[in-house]
Every structure is written in structure tokens, then in C-alpha cells.
Amino acid sequence: MKRTGGASARPPARGALIHYHEIALKGKNRSFFLKQLEANILLATRDLDCGPLKRLAGRLFLEMREETSWEVLRQRLSRVFGIANFAPAVMMAPDLELLAQRIEEEVSSRSFHSFRVAARRAFKTFPQTSQEINEIIGARVQRICGARVDLTNPELTIYIEILPAEAFVYFDKLLGPGGLPVGTSGTVACLLSGGIDSPVAAYRMMKRGCRVVFVHFHSQPFADRTSQEKAIELARLLTRYQFASRLYLAPFGELQQEVVSHVTGRMRIVVYRRLMLRIAEQIARKEGAQALVTGESLGQVASQTIENIATIEQASTLPILRPLIGMDKDEITQQAQQIGSYEVSIIPDQDCCSMFLPRQVATHTTHREAELAERPLDLERLVAQAHSAAYSLELSFPG
């Protein structure tokens, strides 16, 4: 069998072969996105015995030591946004005979009745074409195992990727979360309740490359700490996707009391929401965030009619992003289950949204009506009071 001619045999190295997709479309900005992806991969695996992380043409390779658990590494990489897919791979010299020998060793311990070889030459200087590699390796595998070739629905797929200085062999391709690396799209502040919706909204913004600061409003001393504990747990869970988070816990109960004393029942929910946006904006500006994020879904509850959404958002001078606006409850719940936040979100609690709840809620408010309802309130004092009383927690993962 003909060798490549210029490749020196090097000891094979095991690790994760990582592919990205959307980043590859970024043109002149690709290097910026790749640097952030690399930084995030290293953050996600900083407590594991891995490295170095090698940048190759259109892919990355993270070497792993024998002591490193692939299952743990798989979990970590499955939460790094920007990864399209990844695989447990062996990196070796781009030598066809060495590749064939390695594959023979690997398949001899596996049980399968059908297979296919999927070879890919990233550069065309390799002597054999992709089809010729498929045929040569396929014949060797058949002699060893007696399995038949099935190009449509094989039990085993043998992946081969050949680059100028290295080649990779792997048998499993795992989906990554996709999206853009966290840290490439700026910072946003997400109003994080203890419910199902807002953690999913935060997750979706992270997937688009945003770093998320969390703001949770609670009703102590009129309620117990359950909603705060849920918010902390949800923020901790979401930190697995951005590796460092800050959560602000802002008291809202006393402000609600003042609203109850001065605002008619049907307008209170709108006034509550407008106050929350004003307070969250102060925190967002302190954090350098460029937008606010909410878990609103159009028409889901009384405060989320299109008229109320328009009236509420006029209280903020920052843009308000609503990644769930067109999703229904079933879709949101399904994604909450996928990311692991659902079980925490459904724990019963006394959140501030359910405290001092009026019997009737205005569903078609205007900005003028909201301003009239707020006129008896000292908004500047209330916002400053909540902002100064808010305290923050630092969360990190791993850790």
C-alpha cells in the first residue's frame, strides 16, 4: 500500500475532534469568533486533564489524557455554544497504511454486521481520492470482520478526515449545541423569575453569543426565600453554558405595597412590570449590558397582550429582547426539559408576580394610562431604593 511519502509517523493521540459551522461563515471576523470558541472550550474543561487545544483547518482538536473521562468531556462540550458536532477521535499521521492498521485494531473489538467508510480529504494533495480511500479501507475491514458494506443504513460508520499534517479516525459523531460562542454578541440582562419561561429565554440568548446577567425580583419579607433559592439554582444551571455568571437579587415586596396603596387594581400588573424594567435597566447599565431580556410570549398571560407589551416596554430606554415571543407554552416547556431547568422551575414558590395580585387585569393599556396610574408614585425613589438594596452573587462552572 502506498504511503503519503512525507509524513513522519507520530504516536496517535486521543481527543475530541470539534467542528463548527456558523462560525465558518463569518468571513473576515472568523478569527474573533474562533478565539472566543477556543477560550470557552478551555473554560468548560479547565478542571479536566485535557489539552492542548489545537486549531486546524475548519476544526479544533482537544487532546485528552488516559485519565480523562470521555463521558464527562462529552457533557462539557455538548454545552459549548458554537460547536456544530464533535467526536472522540484518534489523531495520527496522514499515512494510509497506518490509518488502515489503526482502523483494523479498532473494529476488531466491535460487533457489527454492516458498515460504511466516510473519508474526507480537507486538502487534495493526498495521493488517493476520498472514494479510493473508502474502497481500500472498506476492503481491509471486510477481510477482518466479514461485515457487508451498507451506504444507506450501516450499523457502523468509519469516519476518516485527512489534513496535510494529520489525519483523524472516529466512529461516532455527536451533535453540539450550535449557535455562536458566548461572549461574541455583547452582554444582556435577563429578568429571571422562578418560572419556566425566563430560563429558556436566557438560554436562547446565550446560544446567540450573548453573555447574560441575571436579575431576580423577590417579595421578602412578605414571602419566603423559595423564589430566591430557585433563581439561584436556575442561574447556577445556566452558568454551565457561559461558565461565569452574576445574579442580582432585588427586593420588590415593599414597592408592590406602595403600588397597591396608590394604583387601581386593574393597572397594577402593568405598573409592576414597568418598575421592574426601570430597576433592571439600572443594573444593566452598571454591568455594561446593551439590552434587557424577558421570557414574554405573546398572549400567554394578561400582561403579555401586544398592547400591554408596548406599554410596559416604554418604561425602558434600553432595547428589550423577547426570544420566546412567538413560541407557545408546549414549545417552551419542551426546551426547558431539554436544558434541565424544567424540574427546578415547577417547584412551588411565592414569587413576586403572584403577590398582591389584583382580581382584574387591564389587557389593552396605553402609555398615557400607565403614566396616569404612576403619577402618585415617586418612581425615582422607588427605583433607587430597589437598586441600592439589590445584592449580587457570583457563580462559576466548573466550580
Side-chain angles (χ1 to χ4, degrees):
M1 183 177 293
K2 185 177 180 181
R3 297 176 183 265
T4 58
S8 59
R10 66 170 69 90
R14 288 190 175 273
L17 183 62
I18 300 166
H19 294 90
Y20 47 86
H21 172 62
E22 191 171 349
I23 294 174
L25 307 177
K26 294 300 179 181
K28 294 180 180 179
N29 296 320
R30 186 183 307 160
S31 179
F32 165 72
F33 288 88
L34 269 178
K35 285 179 181 177
Q36 190 64 59
L37 176 60
E38 291 169 339
N40 291 350
I41 290 171
L42 294 175
L43 280 173
T45 59
R46 58 188 168 186
D47 63 331
L48 305 180
D49 193 9
C50 296
L53 178 63
K54 187 174 183 179
R55 186 190 295 191
L56 305 165
R59 52 188 62 73
L60 302 169
F61 183 72
L62 178 65
E63 192 170 336
M64 57 186 289
R65 309 288 181 264
E66 291 296 330
E67 297 78 13
T68 305
S69 164
W70 169 252
E71 179 58 26
V72 173
L73 183 58
R74 182 196 66 78
Q75 291 176 358
R76 300 290 179 85
L77 295 179
S78 70
R79 295 191 290 257
V80 179
F81 292 121
I83 295 178
N85 60 73
F86 61 100
V90 175
M91 180 177 71
M92 54 192 304
D95 182 299
L96 191 54
E97 176 60 29
L98 293 177
L99 284 167
Q101 292 174 8
R102 184 73 193 197
I103 291 168
E104 287 175 350
E105 292 175 11
E106 294 281 349
V107 300
S108 62
S109 61
R110 295 171 179 258
S111 176
F112 57 97
H113 297 94
S114 62
F115 76 99
R116 73 182 177 106
V117 182
R120 179 185 176 192
R121 299 183 307 163
F123 290 84
K124 307 307 179 185
T125 56
F126 197 77
Q128 288 81 23
T129 66
S130 297
Q131 182 58 34
E132 289 170 342
I133 296 169
N134 290 342
E135 293 171 356
I136 292 168
I137 298 297
R140 296 276 289 258
V141 171
Q142 278 190 308
R143 285 200 297 270
I144 292 290
C145 302
R148 62 183 175 83
V149 174
D150 185 344
L151 302 180
T152 304
N153 190 30
E155 291 183 34
L156 179 71
T157 297
I158 302 169
Y159 296 95
I160 302 170
E161 295 186 21
I162 297 179
L163 280 65
E166 52 273 303
F168 297 91
V169 174
Y170 56 99
F171 300 88
D172 299 293
K173 185 181 289 187
L174 306 171
L175 283 178
L180 298 174
V182 170
T184 57
S185 299
T187 301
V188 296
C190 179
L191 281 70
L192 183 71
S193 72
I196 296 171
D197 301 341
S198 55
V200 177
Y203 170 87
R204 292 175 74 88
M205 293 310 302
M206 291 176 188
K207 188 172 182 177
R208 298 314 304 157
C210 289
R211 190 168 301 283
V212 178
V213 176
F214 303 107
V215 182
H216 175 73
F217 293 96
H218 63 84
S219 290
Q220 275 199 304
F222 307 104
D224 61 25
R225 284 186 51 84
T226 308
S227 78
Q228 294 177 71
E229 292 166 357
K230 286 177 61 178
I232 293 169
E233 185 58 32
L234 289 168
R236 183 178 290 117
L237 185 151
L238 290 164
T239 301
R240 297 184 304 177
Y241 297 93
Q242 65 176 7
F243 317 116
S245 299
R246 183 170 291 135
L247 166 65
Y248 283 86
L249 299 165
F252 200 67
E254 293 180 359
L255 275 67
Q256 287 179 285
Q257 271 198 326
E258 290 212 28
V259 173
V260 169
S261 299
H262 295 94
V263 178
T264 59
R266 61 187 302 274
M267 289 296 296
R268 285 177 195 160
I269 291 293
V270 170
V271 173
Y272 291 160
R273 300 288 189 187
R274 284 165 63 94
L275 266 173
M276 287 179 179
L277 288 187
R278 291 184 175 101
I279 298 162
E281 180 174 349
Q282 294 295 312
I283 294 171
R285 292 192 179 281
K286 176 182 175 182
E287 291 290 329
Q290 298 148 297
L292 300 178
V293 176
T294 72
E296 291 167 307
S297 172
L298 186 61
Q300 184 167 262
V301 295
S303 64
Q304 294 174 15
T305 63
I306 197 163
E307 293 89 349
N308 281 357
I309 286 174
T311 298
I312 291 167
E313 76 174 4
Q314 288 170 332
S316 172
T317 60
L318 285 176
I320 300 176
L321 308 179
R322 301 178 180 89
L324 312 186
I325 196 68
M327 298 176 69
D328 63 35
K329 197 65 177 183
D330 288 342
E331 293 170 318
I332 298 168
T333 297
Q334 183 179 16
Q335 185 145 53
Q337 292 169 333
Q338 290 171 351
I339 67 176
S341 61
Y342 179 76
E343 294 301 326
V344 178
S345 295
I346 61 173
I347 295 172
D349 69 331
Q350 296 175 299
D351 70 333
C352 64
C353 295
S354 61
M355 297 290 291
F356 308 107
L357 197 64
R359 290 182 179 180
Q360 291 186 323
V361 178
T363 56
H364 303 287
T365 62
T366 66
H367 184 50
R368 175 63 176 163
E369 288 176 316
E371 286 184 326
L372 288 172
E374 291 172 339
R375 188 168 291 176
L377 300 172
D378 186 347
L379 294 175
E380 187 173 340
R381 176 183 62 81
L382 293 176
V383 171
Q385 174 183 322
H387 183 215
S388 63
Y391 67 94
S392 64
L393 298 176
E394 304 292 331
L395 304 170
S396 65
F397 181 86

